[in-house]
Amino acid sequence: MYSPPPDLADQQRMRQAFARSAETLGATITGPEVWGWYGRTLSSHVAHPDRGACWLRLLSAPQDKAAGKIWEGNRHAAALFDGHIHKPLLYDTKKSGNDGYTYRAELHQYIAEPIASSSPVLRTDLDPPPEWWDSLRTDLEHVNSVSTDRTAVRQEWVDRTVPRFLDMPGPRITGWTTAHGDLHTANLTSTTPYLLDWEGFGLAPVGYDAAMLLAYSLLVPVFTNRVRNTFPVLKTELGRIAQIIVITELLQSASRGDHPELVPMLRDSAAELA
């Protein structure tokens, strides 16, 4: 989905740490490398003598930053959601340190079906069957029902950032719920919608996940119409607030170079919601 880090030394460091982690967990690397956002993670299909086919994911951070929400997200999500929704099980984790960096290796269940899209930004209609949408809605309803003390969105950030990017006051969040936190088609599988990548889950505005899926799909109107029909919360005041917040997040991300092609559609949507 993403490219390796531009620094060849970082690439080599991550590859060596990945190989060490696989050996520590007793796994054999069997697939091509898959890099995460800005090369912060490295993953691959592996074989495990007891678990069989698995997915090994290595997260890297400087030693003084190896903590907090993202660092612990998948482990905390496993404790709350594994076995209750369509989510890859987390089998094992190992933490290690080397050369000023800390690494967390995560051995996950391997889901033998493709992701719904290679990029968070959807570019062509997937046309999933009704059962796909029903499964996704049911799983998100369960996520919403689970209590957590993690936070995905903060009112202080909304107050500060919405005026900067949308020239309107930041809306007051009056309804909170647990959310996946990064719901787009690159974090969903295509046949049955397994929800992947839980590092950012936590409390967010009601309707946040649906608003995120909608915003990342704006280039494909037929898909966004299905999102709206599947998640009626988007047509409520709570859903309007969630959409404004998500649009602000993606505009902020675009200002750093991520998915600039979404900006015109995001601004059009914001104008309709104002």
Side-chain angles (χ1 to χ4, degrees):
M1 185 194 310
Y2 296 103
S3 300
D7 190 325
L8 293 178
D10 279 337
Q11 294 182 32
Q12 183 69 7
R13 173 181 60 80
M14 287 288 287
R15 290 183 176 118
Q16 291 174 347
F18 190 87
R20 290 195 302 268
S21 297
E23 183 178 2
T24 299
L25 288 165
T28 302
I29 301 170
T30 57
E33 61 184 29
V34 177
W35 291 94
W37 187 69
Y38 285 100
R40 190 168 50 84
T41 64
L42 178 58
S43 304
S44 179
H45 182 276
V46 299
H48 189 273
D50 300 320
R51 301 291 188 177
C54 294
W55 186 255
L56 180 60
R57 177 180 184 268
L58 182 73
L59 172 65
S60 167
Q63 286 182 348
D64 60 344
K65 296 181 179 179
K69 183 184 76 170
I70 291 177
W71 188 257
E72 299 288 348
N74 281 320
R75 185 172 66 86
H76 287 169
L80 292 176
F81 303 117
D82 276 12
H84 299 287
I85 61 172
H86 293 95
K87 171 193 176 298
L89 301 176
L90 177 62
Y91 294 135
D92 200 358
T93 65
K94 295 294 183 183
K95 184 178 178 181
S96 60
N98 190 50
D99 297 333
Y101 286 86
T102 300
Y103 304 93
R104 181 184 292 280
E106 301 170 342
L107 188 69
H108 293 269
Q109 176 189 10
Y110 179 70
I111 305 301
E113 62 176 84
I115 56 175
S117 70
S118 60
S119 167
V121 178
L122 187 65
R123 301 179 188 281
T124 59
D125 185 25
L126 303 175
D127 195 21
E131 295 80 11
W132 190 91
W133 292 103
D134 292 343
S135 175
L136 179 59
R137 182 177 58 246
T138 298
D139 281 352
L140 290 179
E141 287 173 352
H142 180 82
V143 173
N144 295 162
S145 73
V146 174
S147 298
T148 182
D149 59 359
R150 289 168 52 89
T151 301
V153 177
R154 297 185 183 277
Q155 182 67 57
E156 295 81 2
W157 179 91
V158 173
D159 295 342
R160 181 177 67 252
T161 314
V162 171
R164 176 184 167 197
F165 285 93
L166 291 181
D167 195 26
M168 66 171 71
R172 179 62 47 181
I173 304 171
T174 57
W176 295 87
T177 190
T178 301
H180 172 276
D182 193 20
L183 189 68
H184 48 68
T185 49
N187 278 338
L188 293 166
T189 54
S190 58
T191 305
T192 300
Y194 277 82
L195 282 75
L196 313 177
D197 193 1
W198 287 80
E199 64 182 16
F201 91 94
L203 289 174
V206 169
Y208 181 83
D209 281 336
M212 183 73 72
L213 183 61
L214 180 74
Y216 270 120
S217 307
L218 286 172
L219 299 182
V220 186
V222 66
F223 190 89
T224 60
N225 287 337
R226 294 194 191 100
V227 175
R228 291 188 178 96
N229 290 334
T230 302
F231 301 102
V233 66
L234 292 169
K235 302 172 185 177
T236 69
E237 177 61 16
L238 290 174
R240 186 186 76 87
I241 291 170
Q243 289 178 74
I244 290 172
I245 291 169
V246 165
I247 287 169
T248 302
E249 288 186 347
L250 297 192
L251 287 174
Q252 183 182 53
S253 183
S255 73
R256 299 166 179 159
D258 297 325
H259 312 304
E261 68 275 22
L262 272 182
V263 169
M265 299 293 289
L266 292 170
R267 294 209 172 277
D268 288 347
S269 294
E272 293 174 4
L273 294 165

